[in-house]
Amino acid sequence: MSISTACTPPVAHRHPDAGEPQQSPVVRWSEYRVSHPLPSVEKAPSPSAAPNVRQRYDLPALIDMALQNHPETRLSWEDAKAAAARVEREAASWYPKLTALAFGQYFKTSIPIPQSTLVSTGVGTFGGAELAWTLFDFGRREALDEASLERFEAAQFGFGRKHQEIAYRVADSFFAYQAAIAKVAAAEQTFTAAKANAEAVNAKLSQGFATRPDLLLALQEQAKANYDWQDARGAVTQTRAALTTSAGLSPSVELSLIDLSQVPLPDALAPSVEKIVDQALEQRPDLQAKLAELRAREAEVRKARAEYWPKLSLKGSIGNQYWGDVQTDPPSRRHYSSDNLVGSAMLNLEWNLFDGFERRGAVDEAEAKRRAGEAQIDSLRLEIMRHIWQTYADTKTALEKREFALALLRAAEESYAATQESYRHGFSTVIELLSAQKDLARARYTEIDSRADLLKSAAALVYAAGGGESP
């Protein structure tokens, strides 16, 4: 039994020294993208699937339907798409920016001249385009681009872990629901037995072989069995609501499910819990997501340090400039106008020499976030190991309890049958008969709980291990 889900393979990234600027020539986007391939978003989740009233669902089919219907699946999918969009947004910094410009104006200027003032009036317009292209920035763009790639990878791992989480919740609620149904059947059996015992005591009372208190005790146990039966039926409604909700469905949806007795039980555990821990530390998607986030924060440290270095960019513009209806006062012989193609090109070097220690604060903040990311990874590793050790012990205990529960049920069935037969022949009392009946009812509940606990603890161990090969 496995509740794992496939995750996107990790994307390889290079990590240059964060402490020194890169002394490389101008990096082209096409060259950079060869060594930093853009990962593709996984296949979109299937559209919501309505439950088939004619289908009898087992656990894998129920999990498959939950992954298609649950809103959290769509939420994690959209988060992954947003992370992919951020990658493309950061990629835009590698391309030149082309801007269209246009303006018009009415002007009036005054120029002092001997014994007067020369006043010029007219209109002017300009239309053209401006180009700006960052050629080299000492690793700023590489760092931001790598951070976005790592966060996209983290979102993909988060998408995979969300699948595992939903699958585990469905499995846990499925076993609880099936146990509740089995308890209804067990309670009905107990009520039927209690009713038969009350009838037997009543028959003996009419023959003079039983007393009135004996009958009252039997009727009391019959009423108690009826109460337990109705209580078990109420628990089914609650667990069914939890199951349908975990599958992303309305609690009013009716599902046809296989019986709990048809669910195969695990019969053994991996001999070494350390091996399970090692596998979990390698494949847990949430841990891989934290590692990707740490690499993103390391890239942000490099970006903050690169701000100490200059930027080299190319800027240029070209357009048409027009001056028209230019008049002067004192007036001249004619009005002036001109229509010229103008342009400019420059290589621009920007170097911020002092900014009030803002860049030092940015570096300190980025390094603190990186160290916090390392602490989060260490904390998650400890939590993973604790969770696996706990679920491993729970599963091992559940396996042992299952054997004792089966032995208890067999003994209780034999004891009740023998006591019932003995009571018919007058060798046992009503109290002994009712006591054997209660012991059998408890044994049935214990057997049902042991089966459900074993399945739930095994599912919890697989979830703690991060899916993959079942422990």
Side-chain angles (χ1 to χ4, degrees), residues 136 138 309-314 346-352:
F136 188 57
F138 286 91
W309 300 91
K311 294 181 183 178
L312 183 64
S313 59
L314 175 67
M346 65 180 71
L347 196 61
N348 190 29
L349 179 67
E350 300 178 26
W351 198 342
N352 190 354

Side-chain angles (χ1 to χ4, degrees), residues 299-310:
E300 288 176 345
V301 172
R302 293 196 297 274
K303 191 267 180 183
R305 289 175 176 172
E307 292 295 335
Y308 281 100
W309 300 91

Side-chain angles (χ1 to χ4, degrees), residues 271-410:
S272 173
V273 66
E274 289 83 2
K275 181 179 179 181
I276 301 176
V277 171
D278 293 340
Q279 291 177 348
L281 295 178
E282 292 177 359
Q283 67 187 17
R284 273 276 292 256
D286 50 347
L287 181 58
Q288 297 301 319
K290 289 290 186 183
L291 290 171
E293 175 63 25
L294 177 60
R295 293 193 294 267
R297 293 183 182 185
E298 290 173 347
E300 288 176 345
V301 172
R302 293 196 297 274
K303 191 267 180 183
R305 289 175 176 172
E307 292 295 335
Y308 281 100
W309 300 91
K311 294 181 183 178
L312 183 64
S313 59
L314 175 67
K315 292 186 177 180
S317 63
I318 187 171
N320 187 73
Q321 180 175 286
Y322 171 76
W323 302 95
D325 197 23
V326 180
Q327 304 179 33
T328 61
D329 185 17
S332 60
R333 298 180 181 178
R334 59 180 181 175
H335 297 171
Y336 297 97
S337 64
S338 65
D339 189 1
N340 300 320
L341 182 67
V342 296
S344 65
M346 65 180 71
L347 196 61
N348 190 29
L349 179 67
E350 300 178 26
W351 198 342
N352 190 354
L353 299 179
F354 182 72
D355 58 0
F357 306 105
E358 178 183 356
R359 289 171 292 183
R360 187 176 71 180
V363 171
D364 292 343
E365 180 183 3
E367 289 181 339
K369 289 183 177 179
R370 176 184 56 79
R371 290 192 296 269
E374 294 175 349
Q376 289 176 349
I377 290 174
D378 292 338
S379 177
L380 181 57
R381 282 174 172 160
L382 289 174
E383 176 61 23
I384 289 173
M385 289 187 284
R386 183 202 66 79
H387 195 193
I388 291 176
W389 275 90
Q390 177 183 340
T391 54
Y392 184 90
D394 291 343
T395 306
K396 186 176 181 180
T397 302
L399 282 168
E400 296 172 352
K401 290 170 65 177
R402 174 65 182 167
E403 297 179 2
F404 293 121
L406 291 174
L408 176 63
L409 179 60
R410 287 192 298 268

Side-chain angles (χ1 to χ4, degrees), residues 141-174:
R141 292 172 297 178
E142 288 93 335
L144 289 176
D145 191 71
E146 184 171 355
S148 65
L149 285 168
E150 295 292 356
R151 289 198 167 99
F152 174 54
E153 185 176 341
Q156 289 179 304
F157 281 119
F159 184 56
R161 186 58 175 172
K162 179 58 66 175
H163 275 64
Q164 294 179 353
E165 179 184 341
I166 292 175
Y168 168 67
R169 292 205 304 254
V170 170
D172 188 74
S173 56
F174 172 80

Side-chain angles (χ1 to χ4, degrees), residues 104-109 119-125 322-328 336:
Q105 66 175 347
Y106 170 80
F107 65 89
K108 181 178 180 179
T109 60
V119 179
S120 299
T121 60
V123 297
T125 62
Y322 171 76
W323 302 95
D325 197 23
V326 180
Q327 304 179 33
T328 61
Y336 297 97

Side-chain angles (χ1 to χ4, degrees), residues 19 68 78 94 147 236 250 279 288 291 304 374 385 401 447 450 454 469:
Q68 297 180 57
E78 294 300 332
W94 292 87
V236 169
S250 169
Q279 291 177 348
Q288 297 301 319
L291 290 171
E374 294 175 349
M385 289 187 284
K401 290 170 65 177
E447 188 275 331
S450 69
L454 177 55
E469 183 180 355

